Amino acid sequence: MSLLDVSGVTVRFGGHMALHDVALSVVPGRIVGLIGPNGAGKTTMFNVITGLQEPTTGKVAFNGIDITGFKPHDRAQRGIARTFQRLELFGSLTVEENLLVAGEVRRTFGEHSASAADRTTEAMATVGIEHPADIRADNLSTGQARLVELARALVTRPKLLLLDEPASGLDADETTTFAALLQRLVRSGIGILLVEHDVPLVMSVCTHIHVLDFGELIARGTPDEVQRDPRVIEAYLGTPAEAAS
Amino acid sequence: MLAVLAQTGAGALENFLTFTVFGVVLASVYFIAASGLVVTYTTTGIFNFAHGAVGMLGAFAYWQLHVRWELPALLSALIVLGVLAPLFGFVLERVMRGLEGVSTVTKVVVSIGLLFALIKLAPIIWDPKGSYSVPAFFGTDKVDIFGAGVTYHQLITIGVAAVVALALRWILFGTRAGVSMRAVVDNRSLAQLTGTRPARVSMMSWSLGSMLAALSGILIAERLGLEATALTFLVVNAYAAAVVGRLSSLTLTALGAVILGLAQAYTQGYLQENPSWMPENWSLLAIRGVIPVLMLFAALLLMPNAPLRTQGIQRSREIVGRPTWRLAAIGSVVLVAITAVVALVVSDADVLTIGMGLCFAIVMLSLVPLTGYGGQISLAQMTFAGFGAYAVATWFDGSVLGIVAAILLAGAVGAIVALPALRLSGIYLALATLAFAFFTEKFIFNQRALFPTTAKPVRRLELPFVDLSSDRTYLVFLAVMFVLAGLLVVWLRLSPFGRRLQAMKDSPAACATLGMNLTRTKLQVFALSAGIAGFGGALMAGLQRAADTNQFTALQNLPILLMAVVGGLTMVSGALAGGLFLASFTLVPRWIPDFDVLGTTSRALVEDLFALLPGLLGITLGRNPNGAVAQIGAALRERKERAALDPAERTSRLPVDPVADLESAGVDRPFTDEDVELLDRVLAIDEAEVAAGVTA
């Protein structure tokens, strides 16, 4: 059974259709990609899944439970965590405190086996940010801040992780390390939905890819299928030569 | 209503019509005032709490021109509306312009500061002992409409409202200026890119807002008379109408104004006697004055949830320092020691004033976790303190349980008040608390059953080992109580709860997506904060041996908030400074030698100045939102850092250069001293060396 099932989601802002009848699903232990040009509705989809945006129509099911009307914090309690494209760290707290805050949120369903402090240390080690623990979060570079956001999401021990452009701001080496990190994360059994502009990264780590354009789902399938899809090439990837690079 | 009509027969219909006309006239004034609020709020993002004060000033200016200087009515109105109000709007725009990038709290405080300054300015210019009345347009002549007498003034008021409604619609949708105004609302920087000038647009909207405020003031002055506080707080009625319009729709605002005007007219007309089912010493009649507040709360309950917006990492200009136990301990000892010395040397009257200062400081301390850490705002802390004072005056007769009751009662009241507004954004919580402060003043604290006279006697706390009956001992006791409350707040900041509050202020969206229940967190901190305020109120009542309702009026909340912010809301020491500042406004004039100057006395002059001071200081906050104590601390640290850097320190301390903050500097904003400092640190440049001409 899939972890996340989104079906028939439409979001209308006034006369503008941000998403139109979009469906997607994520299974545990796999990375699913969500790509598309700027303004295609990727972040809106994340907001719909996490409850920050109420869909005009459509359904979001998590673990088989219809969570469409649920509050954002309730969804998080059930195991959905995310990062933000425009970074939503707690700027006046230190890196360590950012993670501790997340770890100290009491669970509605069951309890964590490890303490908040232990999970914080573990998450920092996992993403490799032990050093800047005492620095205020608003002093971080974008690349560092993205890693801290990822670590903060991991502290809650999510079942589903939504990553909004996590690799932007990373250089080539860091991106390779980051790809390995993602692979390691899904091996623990969580599902990842990845929004990313770095096409080679998406093609290399994702088992399944959804392509959005102007709020419409124009293609879905394995990286190979998507890369060959003429509508995708036209809408997003440009020429085939570019896509292969 | 039908029953009433049937009983009294023919005269009843006439009455009903008279009340209805009266209601429509009220509605017209409320609509004009509320539309001004909506126009400025939608175009500038600043909710002008001083809107009513501007209207009040307009009415006084009209009186000055028309009655004192005997200019014709129409000419006077034209001068006020066409010249003075727009000019005032320009000044307002200047004041408010500095507020981009500051939190809602600072925005609210600046406009509250303006309100407070204006309300204190009016009696200085126009001696409150004088009599002021504004004649109606065309005197008392009436026309007969279905048997109800309608004055020309009333007709004109209704007509003006209709013209305002049509004109606003035309301006906003039919003119280029109006289209720019609406564009700026949607996206300020985008509008700037496409050639709109936001500064000019906001200048226009402030002028328009001031004109509408002045217009409503002039129209209502005929009925209300010229009394600064009453006219200023008429705006609460306008808030209620504007909230029905969700601060954005003029059509719904008009609907809100009509409902409000009619509801008020009918309750005033028909509710003439206290109903028999009310218990003794409780009066329902007072409800006539709080109809707008009830409607405001009803409208808040019907508002949809505010969506959580993502906003990027906030580089807010407000900085929250992290307290340390060492500093807290030193501060505590110093405060108690100094207070003990002061208690021995000053006069009896000064002991009481300084004691009041410490009580104010405890009430202000209640704002530190709520506003300083959590970013929520309350304009009713003194009202909660009043509930605390009521509790010690009523229950447990001087035992410690009385203090506990005060904390619990105030906390519970706080939680109930906050509930409707917590799920909404900051501005609505400010509105709800201010409205509640009015409700309490006009409908709760004036019930004979609760306060038989305006003040209720209180027995001072009796402790087993200390005798607090001397005012001097009680002063030291107050210092100890402040220390205890202060340590609680410091502990709170260092605890997980304090972290959570800070996180909630920085990014509500991130908190929610991490599983935090924001409503519950806000409710907890609000109840805690009200509880601390209740504690302060109980101690204050003990100091004066009376719970005096005059100290807990709605207006009293404003200097508390203003001076707390001036002291610095993010620190315990800031609350202490705020409380003592406030007390010093009573203390200092007492010490000034009294002599004649400029046709008045020196002491009266200083008193006038100090009356204005909380407001004026509040207005300047846009420039320095961190408060006085933080400013002094920063100045001290800066001096230390100006010393030559240790060579070992000259390497970049961050693993990755802090480019994020620098990349925008100099491009879309001018370099600040902090940018230069950051740049120096990154590049390991030593300013002292550069100045001396030494190169690496």
Side-chain angles (χ1 to χ4, degrees), chain A residues 47 50 52 71-74 76-77 80-82 84 86-93 97-98 100-102 104-107 131-132 135-142 144-145 152-153 156, chain B residues 305 307-315 319-320 322 493 496-497 499-500 502-504 506-518 653-661 663 678:
Chain A
N47 288 344
T50 50
L52 296 183
K71 292 258 162 62
H73 69 86
D74 195 4
Q77 290 283 2
I80 300 178
R82 73 173 285 183
F84 295 86
R86 282 176 60 195
L87 294 170
E88 291 280 330
L89 285 176
F90 307 126
S92 64
L93 298 179
E97 283 178 318
N98 264 274
L100 273 177
V101 166
E104 283 158 356
V105 174
R106 184 107 41 85
R107 305 321 295 182
H131 298 305
I135 291 177
R136 267 176 61 126
D138 54 5
N139 281 333
L140 293 172
S141 70
T142 311
Q144 287 281 341
R152 187 178 67 182
T156 67
Chain B
N305 279 345
L308 289 165
R309 295 194 191 290
T310 57
Q311 53 201 355
I313 298 182
Q314 288 292 288
R315 276 173 225 288
I319 311 272
V320 180
R322 225 183 127 84
R493 169 63 183 91
F497 185 61
R499 266 200 288 273
R500 214 181 316 155
Q502 200 76 41
M504 179 171 80
D506 285 349
S507 172
C511 282
T513 56
L514 290 168
M516 196 188 291
N517 186 336
L518 289 173
R653 270 195 251 145
L654 303 178
V656 177
D657 298 342
V659 281
D661 207 28
E663 59 196 7
L678 191 60

Side-chain angles (χ1 to χ4, degrees), chain B residues 330-353:
Chain B
I330 297 173
S332 305
V333 173
V334 170
L335 175 64
V336 175
I338 291 182
T339 312
V341 174
V342 166
L344 288 177
V345 295
V346 297
S347 71
D348 286 349
D350 289 356
V351 164
L352 279 179
T353 311

Side-chain angles (χ1 to χ4, degrees), chain A residues 37 213 218 226-227 229-240:
Chain A
D213 190 24
I218 56 169
V226 167
Q227 256 169 321
D229 191 305
R231 286 184 68 190
V232 175
I233 294 167
E234 185 199 328
Y236 180 64
L237 298 175
T239 61

Side-chain angles (χ1 to χ4, degrees), chain B residues 620-665:
Chain B
T620 61
L621 271 174
R623 309 249 177 273
N624 170 29
N626 291 316
V629 176
Q631 188 79 354
I632 295 165
L636 289 177
R637 271 195 301 279
E638 200 176 317
R639 190 180 279 175
K640 244 190 271 169
E641 280 172 14
R642 285 252 175 87
L645 279 176
D646 183 352
E649 284 275 297
R650 282 195 218 168
T651 47
S652 167
R653 270 195 251 145
L654 303 178
V656 177
D657 298 342
V659 281
D661 207 28
L662 283 173
E663 59 196 7
S664 55

